[in-house]
Amino acid sequence: MAAPEPNVTLLPSDGAPLEADNSLDHSDLEETGSVTSSTESLSSSIREHVYANGRRYHRKSSDENQQYLLPSDETEMDRLDLAHHLQLLVLGGELYKAPLQSDPHNVLDCGTGTGIWALDFGSIHPGSSVIGVDLAPNQPTWTYPNVRFETDDLEKDWTYEKDHFDYIHSSLSIKDWGRYTKQMYEHAAPGGYVEISDHAIWCFCDDGTVPWDSPLRVYYRALADAMAKIGVDNCGQDIDFYRDHLKAAGFVDIKVYIYKVPWGTWPKGKKFKEIGAYCAEGMRTGLEAYGLMAMTRLLDMPEDEVRKLCAETYKTIMEGKQHAYHYQ
């Protein structure tokens, strides 16, 4: 059954500046539309790892043409679980933004990580059948009866039946967004929903407290330069990037929700101090998680130089004098 013709609806974002003496204003961002999904089997090498810079990485990281540059060790798994909690805080306790009226029958969680989102969803939607997919097999062996995990590469051809998934949730780093969103469209059930959760890899500031030579900006410029080396040009800075890809794939009723997430506890409002505190804690290991492999391999930076930059960036965040944030 064919999905309806595109009819995109966008919610305007709230461009209110962030100030240290105000609670942060969130304007909401999310992307939902009608679609479905499926995956391709991988060889046993999917469970192999490589080691670099004192961290464990997925075997795919050894391919210089790939962008899977994040670690897959216990430190990273802890950070991913913390990021899940941060997302809940940002969304006011909500697990998703899609307007689901009941338990969607078939659900796909793309980039499931530790599996925590899929497990939470399966718990509150017992009538749903949930599949969590990730390149690295870091999910628990125990699970709810309606949740299962698969190890697969969603950059490749999907093998699920088409028009199948009533809801697709994605928090995955993707190189070819055109291909990815097209496959989501082909494998989603007519009338179903797709939700993409992403964050900008960039430093924003509204009050001029983050100078151009700040370690915050130096770090994120270097990270963006590294990502550009492997064809990742957006880094979450351009909201229209996602909307345009979804629209081109055939999605309709696209809605965008934008949130500003502070780095550290500089906001005065209690709620956003808490969000900033969790964000800063995630950056304690996240700066190296994102930067070590990317900058040493793609920019040929010495490991000790990257570690120093990460340490200076984290120190600046914890000092709270520079009022930075990112979009999520």
Side-chain angles (χ1 to χ4, degrees):
M1 183 182 299
E5 293 296 316
N7 179 19
V8 178
T9 302
L10 293 177
L11 297 184
S13 63
D14 175 8
L18 301 189
E19 300 182 22
D21 56 351
N22 288 333
S23 59
L24 297 178
D25 269 344
H26 283 155
S27 65
D28 298 332
L29 173 182
E30 170 235 345
E31 293 144 85
T32 57
S34 305
V35 287
T36 182
S37 153
S38 176
T39 54
E40 172 183 302
S41 302
L42 297 176
S43 68
S44 59
S45 64
I46 197 72
R47 296 183 178 274
E48 297 177 1
H49 297 93
V50 295
Y51 294 84
N53 309 313
R55 303 295 300 270
R56 188 186 76 182
Y57 295 84
H58 188 273
R59 171 65 67 182
K60 190 175 180 181
S61 301
S62 62
D63 185 346
E64 292 187 0
N65 295 319
Q66 299 292 348
Q67 72 171 93
Y68 197 84
L69 301 175
L70 292 174
S72 60
D73 51 22
E74 289 299 321
T75 299
E76 178 65 1
M77 296 306 102
D78 290 343
R79 186 189 72 82
L80 291 177
D81 282 347
L82 183 67
H84 175 72
H85 181 70
L86 174 61
Q87 180 78 347
L88 291 177
L89 288 176
V90 170
L91 296 183
E94 295 181 333
L95 196 60
Y96 52 83
K97 295 293 292 182
L100 305 177
Q101 300 300 315
S102 59
D103 294 350
H105 187 61
N106 295 306
V107 176
L108 182 67
D109 182 28
C110 302
T112 196
T114 65
I116 190 170
W117 186 94
L119 289 169
D120 281 358
F121 190 93
S123 175
I124 63 177
H125 292 282
S128 298
S129 176
V130 184
I131 300 174
V133 181
D134 201 274
L135 186 65
N138 293 316
Q139 301 77 42
T141 54
W142 56 266
T143 183
Y144 297 117
N146 62 328
V147 179
R148 76 175 191 269
F149 297 111
E150 295 180 355
T151 303
D152 217 326
D153 185 352
L154 292 170
E155 293 272 18
K156 301 194 176 196
D157 292 337
W158 294 11
T159 59
Y160 296 118
E161 67 177 287
K162 295 187 176 181
D163 299 335
H164 179 68
F165 291 101
D166 303 290
Y167 177 50
I168 300 176
H169 174 262
S170 173
S171 54
L172 185 63
S173 176
I174 287 292
K175 187 172 184 178
D176 188 345
W177 277 96
R179 183 186 187 196
Y180 181 61
T181 51
K182 184 63 175 177
Q183 293 202 97
M184 295 173 103
Y185 183 84
E186 292 173 348
H187 294 279
Y193 292 92
V194 158
E195 182 166 340
I196 298 174
S197 175
D198 204 356
H199 65 87
I201 303 178
W202 199 250
C203 172
F204 298 92
C205 175
D206 293 333
D207 61 6
T209 57
V210 183
W212 191 245
D213 60 352
S214 164
L216 306 183
R217 296 199 186 276
V218 173
Y219 174 92
Y220 281 95
R221 284 200 301 270
L223 186 58
D225 288 345
M227 293 296 98
K229 293 278 189 180
I230 52 174
V232 180
D233 298 321
N234 180 55
C235 291
Q237 301 167 42
D238 181 7
I239 300 306
D240 288 342
F241 175 90
Y242 302 100
R243 181 199 63 181
D244 292 346
H245 276 296
L246 289 165
K247 183 178 180 180
F251 291 96
V252 299
D253 300 327
I254 300 170
K255 297 182 181 179
V256 178
Y257 300 85
I258 302 172
Y259 303 89
K260 294 178 177 180
V261 179
W263 298 356
T265 58
W266 55 265
K268 287 192 174 180
K270 180 179 178 181
K271 173 183 177 181
F272 299 107
K273 273 188 178 295
E274 183 180 14
I275 290 175
Y278 276 99
C279 180
E281 176 60 20
M283 286 182 161
R284 185 174 60 84
T285 61
L287 291 169
E288 287 192 354
Y290 276 92
L292 270 177
M293 179 71 83
M295 295 179 194
T296 56
R297 171 180 294 173
L298 301 175
L299 301 181
D300 295 322
M301 292 175 62
E303 179 185 341
D304 58 350
E305 183 178 334
V306 177
R307 289 189 183 277
K308 180 181 179 182
L309 177 58
C310 292
E312 290 175 347
T313 302
Y314 184 66
K315 179 182 177 183
T316 303
I317 290 171
M318 296 305 292
E319 287 174 345
K321 296 178 182 179
Q322 298 186 17
H323 305 150
Y325 64 89
H326 70 263
Y327 288 113
Q328 186 159 319

